[in-house]
Amino acid sequence: MSPTSPATPIPPLPTARIHLHEVAPRDGLQMESVFVPTDDKVAWIDQLSTLGYSKIEVTSFVSPAAIPALRDAEEVMRRIARVPGVVYTALVPNVRGGERAIDARVNEFNLVMSASATHNLANLRMTQAQSFGTLSQTTRLAQQAGLAVNVSLSCAFGCPMEGDVPAAAVADWVARFAGLGVQGVTLCDTTGMADPGQVLALCSAIAQQQPELALTAHFHDTRGLGGANVFAALQAGITRFDASLGGIGGCPYAPGASGNVATEDVVHLLQCLGLCCEMPLDDLAAAAQTLQALLGHGLPSAVGRAGPRWRHHPLPPDFQQTRERALAREAAG
Ligand code: COA
Ligand code: ZN
């Protein structure tokens, strides 16, 4: 089969706006060993708020013993400057987290449970049935408070301890949450186990089964497939993506976890494809510089290091001389 005649036609890409959700303040910082001081977090999130994201996951209302890097959740959520049109969400694992999130004035609960029974126990210390029970109560709490609910389903494309997670099990959890009246579900590839074929199949199936749900894709670039998986999700019609500035991130309770797809890399991909995403790469680079200074280490983003493909480098200093010599030799035969 020649590369120009694929076995199946490539589905068209979405023409609608692509929504980016910045998760570095939550998924990113939860994996860092340094505690970023609260004042610095707030200033950095305020910088992010101006860049054109649809949503920012600001923090986690989880146990501070489980995720010490986010122990200042209330203060951060209360102090950020909110830009109209941006949804400020936070991770919520239970009713207690929901109460804290309401007090701190979140716009949305991002509930969390795992499609893998093993990872759910390791991460949340509950069986899936216990998680679903507590998240049902937490959903009611949000609904009474008039807040939107999204559910992030971890390990939807595979579990680092169990291996494959059946697509039917993922679809079943999504259907159960849809039955609670949640607005959105995020399919999370927690440790970068997804491949593009699987992404196209699973995202297409769930989008077809749950046309009313806002579906988001959340990829980690652990095995270099992050960009390919974003492309496959676009082919499935997904228009909402989580991404993490600089490519930081990962779940401390998932063995082998590493960074999310980097926001700069995803924006660059979308702009190369001519899709509707007008986030300014230069401003993202500036926010990544702030983050790098806060963390005190380099960031894994490919575009962060190489720059976009349309950035031209200066000619080598001896270029003119080299060209003249080459032209003279060419003329001499
Ligand atoms: N916010 C703050 N503290 C909480 C809390 C919440 N939402 N839920 C429980 N706690 C506290 C309890 O008060 C208790 O504190 P204590 O030990 O000082 O008495 C402690 O956490 C344990 O509570 P318990 O109800 O027994 O929960 P648990 O030990 O079974 O843990 C979770 C359950 C979900 C709270 C905990 O596993 C957790 O926060 N996990 C977060 C995982 C995470 O964020 N992973 C990365 C993102 S995918
Ligand atoms: Zn993640």
Side-chain angles (χ1 to χ4, degrees):
M1 182 74 60
S2 95
T4 51
S5 54
T8 49
I10 295 176
L13 299 178
T15 52
R17 176 180 173 197
I18 307 297
H19 297 273
L20 283 201
H21 306 165
E22 181 54 63
V23 300
R26 195 279 297 173
D27 202 332
L29 294 188
Q30 75 184 9
M31 195 65 173
E32 295 292 328
S33 48
V34 296
F35 177 79
V36 175
T38 307
D39 287 352
D40 293 335
K41 269 184 199 144
V42 170
W44 172 59
I45 294 169
D46 287 349
Q47 187 179 5
L48 296 176
S49 277
T50 63
L51 301 184
Y53 293 104
S54 298
K55 200 184 271 192
I56 297 178
E57 190 169 27
V58 176
T59 187
S60 277
F61 291 95
V62 297
S63 155
I67 307 286
L70 303 180
R71 62 180 181 263
D72 55 358
E74 274 85 353
E75 202 182 339
V76 173
M77 189 52 98
R78 287 204 192 101
R79 285 180 47 196
I80 51 170
R82 305 189 184 208
V83 169
V86 180
V87 173
Y88 294 92
T89 190
L91 199 83
V92 171
N94 56 14
V95 172
R96 164 97 185 272
E99 289 164 348
R100 293 174 58 206
I102 290 172
D103 281 351
R105 298 189 296 108
V106 299
N107 298 134
E108 177 196 83
F109 285 11
N110 184 24
L111 305 183
V112 59
M113 81 166 265
S114 185
S116 146
T118 311
H119 178 248
N120 204 69
L121 272 166
N123 188 35
L124 299 166
R125 303 156 70 98
M126 289 179 259
T127 66
Q128 288 172 303
Q130 286 167 329
S131 270
F132 188 75
T134 196
L135 294 182
S136 303
Q137 288 176 296
T138 315
T139 299
R140 278 196 291 281
L141 182 69
Q143 289 165 341
Q144 282 155 9
L147 296 177
V149 178
N150 184 77
V151 181
S152 280
L153 207 50
S154 314
C155 296
F157 299 90
C159 166
M161 295 163 283
E162 275 184 28
D164 290 339
V165 172
V170 176
D172 189 45
W173 285 117
V174 174
R176 290 181 68 179
F177 281 108
L180 298 179
V182 306
Q183 281 69 37
V185 167
T186 303
L187 299 176
C188 300
D189 183 25
T190 308
T191 60
M193 292 175 71
D195 69 73
Q198 179 195 21
V199 168
L200 181 58
L202 187 64
C203 292
S204 304
I206 301 229
Q208 208 166 21
Q209 289 159 18
Q210 306 292 345
E212 304 302 321
L213 276 186
L215 274 189
T216 300
H218 174 116
F219 297 117
H220 284 255
D221 205 10
T222 312
R223 295 177 174 82
L225 290 177
N229 288 332
V230 170
F231 189 77
L234 288 165
Q235 290 182 319
I238 301 291
T239 55
R240 295 175 183 80
F241 291 90
D242 286 355
S244 173
L245 198 70
I248 61 170
C251 174
Y253 300 98
S258 66
N260 292 69
V261 284
T263 310
E264 308 89 303
D265 296 353
V266 175
V267 169
H268 180 258
L269 170 64
L270 297 174
Q271 293 183 356
C272 286
L273 294 170
L275 299 184
C276 185
C277 171
E278 286 163 9
M279 296 180 70
L281 275 173
D282 286 349
D283 293 348
L284 285 171
Q289 287 283 325
T290 308
L291 175 61
Q292 183 163 326
L294 293 176
L295 298 179
H297 64 70
L299 305 174
S301 157
V303 172
R305 278 177 280 126
R309 70 184 293 282
W310 47 86
R311 176 178 300 162
H312 292 183
H313 291 269
L315 300 173
D318 60 349
F319 183 79
Q320 197 56 24
Q321 223 179 348
T322 306
R323 179 160 69 176
E324 277 163 20
R325 210 173 56 172
L327 289 176
R329 281 188 189 151
E330 189 181 52

